[in-house]
Amino acid sequence: QISRALSAFHLAPSEDWTVERLAREAGVSRTGFAVRFTEKMGLTPMQYVTSWRMQIACRSLIDDDLSVAEAAHAIGYASESAFTRVFKKEIGTTPAAYRAAR
């Protein structure tokens, strides 16, 4: 069940993913999905979604040479400032500083 949700997310990480939508993909209740996901993965579903998106952003900033705004858009953020806040929280530095250090 979890793998169905992960497959859907990995095919379209920039879409508007919620626990409810992931649970629907898995074919289980939202609460049941969240509990099972956290037990199996060691992260909440939304922590996983955020972490994976930030990994994509890191690669995009370096390997694809995307601007910060382009990287934000590529992973589903409408706002560059919101993306920068989450990136800094998850990665420990701003997207621009991350790219400059690489």
Side-chain angles (χ1 to χ4, degrees), residues 33-85:
F33 175 78
V35 168
R36 281 190 218 114
F37 189 98
T38 303
E39 287 172 353
K40 298 284 185 192
M41 302 297 288
L43 300 167
T44 68
M46 296 316 294
Q47 286 172 328
Y48 181 87
V49 165
T50 300
S51 175
W52 190 261
R53 285 177 171 166
M54 292 304 117
Q55 290 176 48
I56 294 170
C58 287
R59 285 194 311 269
S60 296
L61 290 166
I62 303 303
D63 297 341
D64 301 333
D65 199 31
L66 295 184
S67 70
V68 173
E70 291 168 330
H73 179 73
I75 60 168
Y77 282 81
S79 160
E80 185 178 336
S81 62
F83 166 70
T84 298
R85 276 192 308 277

